[in-house]
Amino acid sequence: MLSDNSSAVPVSPGQFRSTLELNLQNTDVSAAEEIAGPGSKKTQDLEPEIGYVVQKGDTLSTIFDHLRISQPTLYKLMEADLNILALDTIQPGHKLGFNFDDAGKLKQFIFRSGLTYKVLFDRSKKGDFEYEEFIEKGGFRREIISGTVEGDLPRSMKRAGARIAEAYQVTSLLKERMNFRSHLRAGDKFQLSVSRQYVYGVYTGNSVIEGFVYDGAIRKQSAFLFDDNYFDAEGESLEKAFQRIPLQKRYRISSSFNPKRKHPVTGLVRPHNGTDFSVRTGTPVLSAGDGVVSRVIKHRYAGLYIEIKHGRKYKTRYLHLSRAYVRKGQKVSRGQKIAASGNSGRSTGAHLHYELHVNGRPVNAMTAPIPVVQTISRKKRNAFKKQVAALKTQMAEQLALAEKQ
Ligand SMILES: [Zn+2]
């Protein structure tokens, strides 16, 4: 590792341009929505002085070394990133941008993953970094897909024009209601209504299943999205509930969710994106819901932490652990013991930091509306019926059209 030369880069950063694969796309920031981060200063999204596309085998520290940016600077970035942990997702193909001040010190760092997500890290006068997150909204287009079963359901859906991820989303939605071996018959009909996201005309990989109807010889089943939850045609919930607290019992909350928290010394906005429970090291930590473990990582500041994805919409994180009992890719169920709490990373005492994210945004896990509903309330029943009827009409029209051809 190089010594701290963040204030004196020996060569002009521009000189590296030729050695690195570059060029972040020039993107119109007005199309992006600021979702977090302090202040509201408009940041121009100009071409950075150095752009870099992450390659296989790269790590942030090898990239920073290569650009002769000091380790303390990297740590300062990681410290700012502690609130979102975006840099832990770094993968080949992600784009990085670097801007320097006149003294050659890193002034701004840009992290971009995929078409829709970007974080800007700006160095404040005091030398620390502040972040701003952007999510491109793009536009959603509804597509209706009709098909018949031949072989298994995901492959039949793929043949009809669904993406494989969409097909798996459908099977996971209906897994409590259908047995995808014994209930399927060749020739069974199905229809899918899906909204797909496009940014600048390019499909982003995000799609939302709006409705699925399965009309089989043995089984008829459907799923409809309403008020951010999935229900069958009768309005019964298809999604499993979450537990509010990822612990066996209620413990004292030592620090609450606070997106506007200010650092007591620097005065910089340091959001607290989670809820801290005062628990002794070794306390069992439970998965808040059914899901798949998406990260088990040791982080300089977050300590040993686990992230779990619960379907397309929900994500939970558990920080400062002492032990993890699960590995990446593992399926977990609600209430399953996943870890022992601890005091790892930068932590002032033993506690569990717990985060709930809805559609990529941290929310207050203690108050957020989480799926606990089992049926649609009487008040909303009419709205639900209307929405389902409208979608079914569209699906029927599409089917009639397809059969004519
Ligand atoms: Zn915390």
Side-chain angles (χ1 to χ4, degrees):
M1 215 22 109
L2 296 160
S3 61
D4 185 6
N5 57 2
S6 63
S7 55
V9 176
V11 286
S12 138
Q15 276 178 252
F16 286 95
R17 192 178 269 275
S18 56
T19 63
L20 296 168
E21 281 183 45
L22 314 179
N23 292 332
L24 296 185
Q25 270 173 10
N26 234 344
T27 311
D28 179 11
V29 183
S30 63
E33 183 201 3
E34 186 194 332
I35 62 154
S40 59
K41 54 182 182 299
K42 276 286 149 235
T43 324
Q44 298 137 323
D45 199 14
L46 302 170
E47 197 81 6
E49 281 174 57
I50 293 183
Y52 182 67
V53 178
V54 177
Q55 307 292 309
K56 214 178 154 194
D58 279 347
T59 64
L60 270 184
S61 83
T62 61
I63 295 167
F64 275 58
D65 256 9
H66 193 64
L67 291 171
R68 308 202 185 175
I69 302 168
S70 73
Q71 200 181 40
T73 299
L74 175 57
Y75 287 163
K76 282 199 164 139
L77 272 173
M78 286 175 71
E79 206 178 335
D81 185 54
L82 174 60
N83 298 299
I84 45 175
L85 296 167
L87 300 180
D88 276 0
T89 64
I90 191 165
Q91 272 178 31
H94 286 171
K95 290 169 177 173
L96 311 180
F98 302 84
N99 287 313
F100 300 86
D101 65 12
D102 295 338
K105 237 178 148 177
L106 184 68
K107 183 175 70 183
Q108 185 181 57
F109 175 65
I110 304 148
F111 171 78
R112 186 187 279 280
S113 70
L115 281 163
T116 55
Y117 186 68
K118 182 176 79 175
V119 191
L120 292 182
F121 295 92
D122 279 303
R123 204 196 282 259
S124 73
K125 287 206 177 70
K126 288 180 176 126
D128 289 320
F129 286 93
E130 290 184 285
Y131 73 89
E132 243 181 310
E133 250 182 324
F134 297 87
I135 295 181
E136 302 279 352
K137 274 186 183 163
F140 279 85
R141 233 181 274 158
R142 174 178 290 171
E143 283 160 53
I144 294 176
I145 290 155
S146 310
T148 49
V149 168
E150 207 180 296
D152 68 16
L153 187 60
R155 260 175 289 180
S156 306
M157 288 180 69
K158 190 165 180 268
R159 217 175 302 117
R163 291 174 193 268
I164 204 72
E166 294 163 355
Y168 284 127
Q169 213 177 304
V170 166
T171 55
S172 119
L173 262 178
L174 292 176
K175 68 176 188 291
E176 304 290 323
R177 303 291 186 94
M178 274 182 81
N179 181 322
F180 292 101
R181 278 195 198 96
S182 61
H183 291 154
L184 253 58
R185 289 293 178 274
D188 282 0
K189 287 182 179 150
F190 60 82
Q191 270 197 300
L192 172 72
S193 170
V194 60
S195 266
R196 291 179 177 154
Q197 188 189 35
Y198 293 83
V199 170
Y200 310 115
V202 182
Y203 174 60
T204 63
N206 291 337
S207 45
V208 177
I209 308 289
E210 295 178 319
F212 179 77
V213 176
Y214 190 87
D215 184 7
I218 299 178
R219 203 72 161 185
K220 295 190 196 313
Q221 194 56 250
S222 51
F224 295 100
L225 181 64
F226 180 74
D227 260 6
D228 282 333
N229 284 293
Y230 286 96
F231 299 90
D232 65 15
E234 279 69 53
E236 293 288 317
S237 175
L238 292 169
E239 291 181 293
K240 276 210 179 164
F242 271 76
Q243 59 186 66
R244 187 68 73 183
I245 295 167
L247 294 161
Q248 283 163 340
K249 56 178 190 188
R250 208 168 253 282
Y251 288 88
R252 187 174 68 84
I253 291 174
S254 51
S255 177
S256 296
F257 178 82
N258 181 2
K260 295 200 168 70
R261 183 174 68 171
K262 282 212 168 119
H263 191 279
V265 180
T266 63
L268 292 175
V269 177
R270 282 281 178 259
H272 189 233
N273 285 342
T275 304
D276 290 350
F277 295 96
S278 176
V279 288
R280 250 191 261 167
T281 293
T283 305
V285 176
L286 316 178
S287 175
D290 292 358
V292 177
V293 177
S294 46
R295 298 187 205 169
V296 180
I297 291 180
K298 267 188 193 148
H299 186 279
R300 186 175 174 85
Y301 301 112
L304 174 64
Y305 78 91
I306 294 177
E307 179 186 271
I308 298 175
K309 284 198 170 152
H310 312 274
R312 80 202 153 90
K313 198 177 152 195
Y314 301 96
K315 191 165 73 185
T316 53
R317 283 184 191 150
Y318 314 79
L319 274 59
H320 307 299
L321 304 170
S322 59
R323 283 191 68 185
Y325 302 128
V326 291
R327 49 176 208 289
K328 190 179 165 178
Q330 189 176 331
K331 273 190 184 171
V332 292
S333 47
R334 177 171 62 134
Q336 183 177 333
K337 201 199 280 186
I338 53 166
S341 74
N343 194 19
S344 60
R346 191 173 61 187
S347 167
T348 48
H351 76 286
L352 173 70
H353 171 106
Y354 171 59
E355 294 178 12
L356 172 67
H357 296 241
V358 180
N359 294 325
R361 298 165 197 228
V363 297
N364 186 343
M366 297 304 103
T367 56
I370 48 178
V372 283
V373 274
Q374 288 312 309
T375 53
I376 291 172
S377 68
R378 210 172 278 177
K379 247 170 65 189
K380 287 188 168 170
R381 205 150 260 275
N382 272 336
F384 173 71
K385 280 186 178 164
K386 260 191 201 163
Q387 188 181 308
V388 168
L391 192 62
K392 277 188 165 171
T393 306
Q394 264 201 26
M395 286 170 134
E397 281 168 7
Q398 198 276 345
L399 194 61
L401 212 70
E403 276 169 358
K404 255 190 222 161
Q405 285 167 353

PDB file of all heavy atoms in Angstrom, residues 82 297-305 319-322 342-349 351:
ATOM      1  N   LEU A  82     -21.022   3.636   4.495  1.00  0.00           N
ATOM      2  CA  LEU A  82     -21.585   2.781   5.556  1.00  0.00           C
ATOM      3  C   LEU A  82     -23.107   2.897   5.599  1.00  0.00           C
ATOM      4  O   LEU A  82     -23.801   1.956   5.926  1.00  0.00           O
ATOM      5  CB  LEU A  82     -20.969   3.190   6.897  1.00  0.00           C
ATOM      6  CG  LEU A  82     -21.532   2.524   8.157  1.00  0.00           C
ATOM      7  CD1 LEU A  82     -21.342   1.013   8.099  1.00  0.00           C
ATOM      8  CD2 LEU A  82     -20.829   3.070   9.385  1.00  0.00           C
ATOM      9  N   ILE A 297     -20.766 -10.427   4.604  1.00  0.00           N
ATOM     10  CA  ILE A 297     -19.557  -9.653   4.331  1.00  0.00           C
ATOM     11  C   ILE A 297     -18.958  -9.109   5.622  1.00  0.00           C
ATOM     12  O   ILE A 297     -19.673  -8.759   6.554  1.00  0.00           O
ATOM     13  CB  ILE A 297     -19.888  -8.479   3.362  1.00  0.00           C
ATOM     14  CG1 ILE A 297     -20.224  -9.025   1.973  1.00  0.00           C
ATOM     15  CG2 ILE A 297     -18.736  -7.471   3.278  1.00  0.00           C
ATOM     16  CD1 ILE A 297     -20.576  -7.985   0.936  1.00  0.00           C
ATOM     17  N   LYS A 298     -17.598  -9.082   5.651  1.00  0.00           N
ATOM     18  CA  LYS A 298     -16.908  -8.397   6.744  1.00  0.00           C
ATOM     19  C   LYS A 298     -16.525  -7.020   6.250  1.00  0.00           C
ATOM     20  O   LYS A 298     -15.822  -6.893   5.257  1.00  0.00           O
ATOM     21  CB  LYS A 298     -15.643  -9.171   7.138  1.00  0.00           C
ATOM     22  CG  LYS A 298     -15.893 -10.137   8.248  1.00  0.00           C
ATOM     23  CD  LYS A 298     -14.593 -10.744   8.752  1.00  0.00           C
ATOM     24  CE  LYS A 298     -14.919 -11.926   9.631  1.00  0.00           C
ATOM     25  NZ  LYS A 298     -13.899 -12.969   9.567  1.00  0.00           N
ATOM     26  N   HIS A 299     -16.986  -6.004   6.915  1.00  0.00           N
ATOM     27  CA  HIS A 299     -16.781  -4.625   6.469  1.00  0.00           C
ATOM     28  C   HIS A 299     -16.043  -3.861   7.565  1.00  0.00           C
ATOM     29  O   HIS A 299     -16.315  -4.067   8.740  1.00  0.00           O
ATOM     30  CB  HIS A 299     -18.150  -4.004   6.187  1.00  0.00           C
ATOM     31  CG  HIS A 299     -18.118  -2.631   5.584  1.00  0.00           C
ATOM     32  ND1 HIS A 299     -17.931  -1.492   6.337  1.00  0.00           N
ATOM     33  CD2 HIS A 299     -18.271  -2.221   4.304  1.00  0.00           C
ATOM     34  CE1 HIS A 299     -17.962  -0.437   5.536  1.00  0.00           C
ATOM     35  NE2 HIS A 299     -18.170  -0.857   4.293  1.00  0.00           N
ATOM     36  N   ARG A 300     -15.133  -2.998   7.133  1.00  0.00           N
ATOM     37  CA  ARG A 300     -14.340  -2.226   8.082  1.00  0.00           C
ATOM     38  C   ARG A 300     -15.202  -1.512   9.124  1.00  0.00           C
ATOM     39  O   ARG A 300     -14.863  -1.461  10.304  1.00  0.00           O
ATOM     40  CB  ARG A 300     -13.524  -1.192   7.296  1.00  0.00           C
ATOM     41  CG  ARG A 300     -12.556  -0.411   8.114  1.00  0.00           C
ATOM     42  CD  ARG A 300     -11.736   0.494   7.203  1.00  0.00           C
ATOM     43  NE  ARG A 300     -10.892   1.356   8.004  1.00  0.00           N
ATOM     44  CZ  ARG A 300      -9.696   1.004   8.461  1.00  0.00           C
ATOM     45  NH1 ARG A 300      -9.217  -0.187   8.178  1.00  0.00           N
ATOM     46  NH2 ARG A 300      -8.986   1.835   9.200  1.00  0.00           N
ATOM     47  N   TYR A 301     -16.320  -0.939   8.692  1.00  0.00           N
ATOM     48  CA  TYR A 301     -17.162  -0.168   9.615  1.00  0.00           C
ATOM     49  C   TYR A 301     -18.453  -0.886  10.012  1.00  0.00           C
ATOM     50  O   TYR A 301     -18.889  -0.793  11.145  1.00  0.00           O
ATOM     51  CB  TYR A 301     -17.499   1.197   9.009  1.00  0.00           C
ATOM     52  CG  TYR A 301     -16.256   2.000   8.701  1.00  0.00           C
ATOM     53  CD1 TYR A 301     -15.877   2.277   7.387  1.00  0.00           C
ATOM     54  CD2 TYR A 301     -15.439   2.449   9.733  1.00  0.00           C
ATOM     55  CE1 TYR A 301     -14.725   2.991   7.110  1.00  0.00           C
ATOM     56  CE2 TYR A 301     -14.281   3.165   9.462  1.00  0.00           C
ATOM     57  CZ  TYR A 301     -13.922   3.431   8.151  1.00  0.00           C
ATOM     58  OH  TYR A 301     -12.777   4.124   7.885  1.00  0.00           O
ATOM     59  N   ALA A 302     -19.042  -1.610   9.058  1.00  0.00           N
ATOM     60  CA  ALA A 302     -20.301  -2.297   9.358  1.00  0.00           C
ATOM     61  C   ALA A 302     -20.048  -3.607  10.112  1.00  0.00           C
ATOM     62  O   ALA A 302     -20.965  -4.210  10.642  1.00  0.00           O
ATOM     63  CB  ALA A 302     -21.068  -2.585   8.074  1.00  0.00           C
ATOM     64  N   GLY A 303     -18.776  -4.016  10.133  1.00  0.00           N
ATOM     65  CA  GLY A 303     -18.447  -5.279  10.783  1.00  0.00           C
ATOM     66  C   GLY A 303     -18.928  -6.450   9.949  1.00  0.00           C
ATOM     67  O   GLY A 303     -19.136  -6.324   8.739  1.00  0.00           O
ATOM     68  N   LEU A 304     -19.114  -7.589  10.605  1.00  0.00           N
ATOM     69  CA  LEU A 304     -19.671  -8.746   9.895  1.00  0.00           C
ATOM     70  C   LEU A 304     -21.157  -8.469   9.718  1.00  0.00           C
ATOM     71  O   LEU A 304     -21.862  -8.200  10.689  1.00  0.00           O
ATOM     72  CB  LEU A 304     -19.456 -10.014  10.727  1.00  0.00           C
ATOM     73  CG  LEU A 304     -20.101 -11.294  10.193  1.00  0.00           C
ATOM     74  CD1 LEU A 304     -19.521 -11.711   8.853  1.00  0.00           C
ATOM     75  CD2 LEU A 304     -19.952 -12.431  11.208  1.00  0.00           C
ATOM     76  N   TYR A 305     -21.617  -8.492   8.471  1.00  0.00           N
ATOM     77  CA  TYR A 305     -23.045  -8.217   8.281  1.00  0.00           C
ATOM     78  C   TYR A 305     -23.665  -9.163   7.268  1.00  0.00           C
ATOM     79  O   TYR A 305     -22.979  -9.746   6.424  1.00  0.00           O
ATOM     80  CB  TYR A 305     -23.301  -6.752   7.935  1.00  0.00           C
ATOM     81  CG  TYR A 305     -23.030  -6.334   6.506  1.00  0.00           C
ATOM     82  CD1 TYR A 305     -24.032  -6.380   5.536  1.00  0.00           C
ATOM     83  CD2 TYR A 305     -21.784  -5.843   6.134  1.00  0.00           C
ATOM     84  CE1 TYR A 305     -23.797  -5.965   4.242  1.00  0.00           C
ATOM     85  CE2 TYR A 305     -21.530  -5.417   4.827  1.00  0.00           C
ATOM     86  CZ  TYR A 305     -22.542  -5.488   3.889  1.00  0.00           C
ATOM     87  OH  TYR A 305     -22.296  -5.080   2.611  1.00  0.00           O
ATOM     88  N   LEU A 319     -26.220  -5.814  11.042  1.00  0.00           N
ATOM     89  CA  LEU A 319     -24.821  -5.385  11.125  1.00  0.00           C
ATOM     90  C   LEU A 319     -24.175  -5.668  12.483  1.00  0.00           C
ATOM     91  O   LEU A 319     -24.871  -5.898  13.474  1.00  0.00           O
ATOM     92  CB  LEU A 319     -24.727  -3.881  10.839  1.00  0.00           C
ATOM     93  CG  LEU A 319     -24.611  -3.422   9.373  1.00  0.00           C
ATOM     94  CD1 LEU A 319     -25.805  -3.881   8.549  1.00  0.00           C
ATOM     95  CD2 LEU A 319     -24.478  -1.908   9.273  1.00  0.00           C
ATOM     96  N   HIS A 320     -22.833  -5.589  12.480  1.00  0.00           N
ATOM     97  CA  HIS A 320     -21.985  -5.712  13.680  1.00  0.00           C
ATOM     98  C   HIS A 320     -22.107  -7.085  14.346  1.00  0.00           C
ATOM     99  O   HIS A 320     -22.059  -7.197  15.566  1.00  0.00           O
ATOM    100  CB  HIS A 320     -22.327  -4.608  14.710  1.00  0.00           C
ATOM    101  CG  HIS A 320     -22.295  -3.226  14.138  1.00  0.00           C
ATOM    102  ND1 HIS A 320     -21.155  -2.683  13.588  1.00  0.00           N
ATOM    103  CD2 HIS A 320     -23.264  -2.278  14.009  1.00  0.00           C
ATOM    104  CE1 HIS A 320     -21.425  -1.455  13.163  1.00  0.00           C
ATOM    105  NE2 HIS A 320     -22.695  -1.186  13.387  1.00  0.00           N
ATOM    106  N   LEU A 321     -22.286  -8.132  13.531  1.00  0.00           N
ATOM    107  CA  LEU A 321     -22.498  -9.478  14.067  1.00  0.00           C
ATOM    108  C   LEU A 321     -21.189 -10.080  14.592  1.00  0.00           C
ATOM    109  O   LEU A 321     -20.099  -9.649  14.193  1.00  0.00           O
ATOM    110  CB  LEU A 321     -23.069 -10.374  12.967  1.00  0.00           C
ATOM    111  CG  LEU A 321     -24.357  -9.841  12.321  1.00  0.00           C
ATOM    112  CD1 LEU A 321     -24.700 -10.663  11.079  1.00  0.00           C
ATOM    113  CD2 LEU A 321     -25.509  -9.876  13.317  1.00  0.00           C
ATOM    114  N   SER A 322     -21.322 -11.094  15.428  1.00  0.00           N
ATOM    115  CA  SER A 322     -20.114 -11.820  15.853  1.00  0.00           C
ATOM    116  C   SER A 322     -19.968 -13.127  15.072  1.00  0.00           C
ATOM    117  O   SER A 322     -18.864 -13.576  14.814  1.00  0.00           O
ATOM    118  CB  SER A 322     -20.133 -12.091  17.362  1.00  0.00           C
ATOM    119  OG  SER A 322     -21.264 -12.856  17.728  1.00  0.00           O
ATOM    120  N   GLY A 342     -23.236  -8.979  17.797  1.00  0.00           N
ATOM    121  CA  GLY A 342     -21.878  -8.726  18.276  1.00  0.00           C
ATOM    122  C   GLY A 342     -21.566  -7.257  18.373  1.00  0.00           C
ATOM    123  O   GLY A 342     -22.457  -6.428  18.593  1.00  0.00           O
ATOM    124  N   ASN A 343     -20.289  -6.968  18.145  1.00  0.00           N
ATOM    125  CA  ASN A 343     -19.779  -5.612  18.328  1.00  0.00           C
ATOM    126  C   ASN A 343     -18.700  -5.366  17.286  1.00  0.00           C
ATOM    127  O   ASN A 343     -17.748  -4.634  17.515  1.00  0.00           O
ATOM    128  CB  ASN A 343     -19.216  -5.504  19.756  1.00  0.00           C
ATOM    129  CG  ASN A 343     -18.964  -4.070  20.160  1.00  0.00           C
ATOM    130  OD1 ASN A 343     -19.507  -3.144  19.558  1.00  0.00           O
ATOM    131  ND2 ASN A 343     -18.124  -3.883  21.157  1.00  0.00           N
ATOM    132  N   SER A 344     -18.830  -6.014  16.121  1.00  0.00           N
ATOM    133  CA  SER A 344     -17.763  -5.948  15.114  1.00  0.00           C
ATOM    134  C   SER A 344     -17.879  -4.683  14.280  1.00  0.00           C
ATOM    135  O   SER A 344     -18.925  -4.051  14.226  1.00  0.00           O
ATOM    136  CB  SER A 344     -17.811  -7.191  14.226  1.00  0.00           C
ATOM    137  OG  SER A 344     -19.048  -7.297  13.548  1.00  0.00           O
ATOM    138  N   GLY A 345     -16.775  -4.327  13.625  1.00  0.00           N
ATOM    139  CA  GLY A 345     -16.728  -3.100  12.832  1.00  0.00           C
ATOM    140  C   GLY A 345     -16.605  -1.899  13.737  1.00  0.00           C
ATOM    141  O   GLY A 345     -16.115  -2.010  14.857  1.00  0.00           O
ATOM    142  N   ARG A 346     -17.062  -0.755  13.248  1.00  0.00           N
ATOM    143  CA  ARG A 346     -17.009   0.417  14.125  1.00  0.00           C
ATOM    144  C   ARG A 346     -18.302   0.497  14.903  1.00  0.00           C
ATOM    145  O   ARG A 346     -19.353   0.833  14.397  1.00  0.00           O
ATOM    146  CB  ARG A 346     -16.792   1.693  13.329  1.00  0.00           C
ATOM    147  CG  ARG A 346     -16.473   2.841  14.291  1.00  0.00           C
ATOM    148  CD  ARG A 346     -16.084   4.070  13.562  1.00  0.00           C
ATOM    149  NE  ARG A 346     -17.196   4.484  12.715  1.00  0.00           N
ATOM    150  CZ  ARG A 346     -17.103   5.472  11.847  1.00  0.00           C
ATOM    151  NH1 ARG A 346     -15.964   6.097  11.673  1.00  0.00           N
ATOM    152  NH2 ARG A 346     -18.139   5.813  11.125  1.00  0.00           N
ATOM    153  N   SER A 347     -18.220   0.153  16.144  1.00  0.00           N
ATOM    154  CA  SER A 347     -19.399   0.048  16.978  1.00  0.00           C
ATOM    155  C   SER A 347     -18.984   0.449  18.374  1.00  0.00           C
ATOM    156  O   SER A 347     -17.911   0.069  18.846  1.00  0.00           O
ATOM    157  CB  SER A 347     -19.893  -1.396  16.936  1.00  0.00           C
ATOM    158  OG  SER A 347     -20.842  -1.650  17.931  1.00  0.00           O
ATOM    159  N   THR A 348     -19.807   1.237  19.028  1.00  0.00           N
ATOM    160  CA  THR A 348     -19.403   1.754  20.334  1.00  0.00           C
ATOM    161  C   THR A 348     -19.786   0.818  21.471  1.00  0.00           C
ATOM    162  O   THR A 348     -19.472   1.072  22.622  1.00  0.00           O
ATOM    163  CB  THR A 348     -20.060   3.126  20.589  1.00  0.00           C
ATOM    164  OG1 THR A 348     -21.440   3.002  20.269  1.00  0.00           O
ATOM    165  CG2 THR A 348     -19.434   4.203  19.733  1.00  0.00           C
ATOM    166  N   GLY A 349     -20.463  -0.254  21.144  1.00  0.00           N
ATOM    167  CA  GLY A 349     -20.837  -1.221  22.169  1.00  0.00           C
ATOM    168  C   GLY A 349     -21.643  -2.313  21.519  1.00  0.00           C
ATOM    169  O   GLY A 349     -22.072  -2.162  20.374  1.00  0.00           O
ATOM    170  N   HIS A 351     -24.362  -4.305  20.047  1.00  0.00           N
ATOM    171  CA  HIS A 351     -25.745  -4.020  19.636  1.00  0.00           C
ATOM    172  C   HIS A 351     -26.021  -4.650  18.285  1.00  0.00           C
ATOM    173  O   HIS A 351     -25.100  -5.061  17.583  1.00  0.00           O
ATOM    174  CB  HIS A 351     -26.009  -2.509  19.599  1.00  0.00           C
ATOM    175  CG  HIS A 351     -25.422  -1.796  18.412  1.00  0.00           C
ATOM    176  ND1 HIS A 351     -24.067  -1.533  18.281  1.00  0.00           N
ATOM    177  CD2 HIS A 351     -26.003  -1.280  17.299  1.00  0.00           C
ATOM    178  CE1 HIS A 351     -23.857  -0.876  17.143  1.00  0.00           C
ATOM    179  NE2 HIS A 351     -25.013  -0.721  16.525  1.00  0.00           N
TER     180      HIS A 351
END
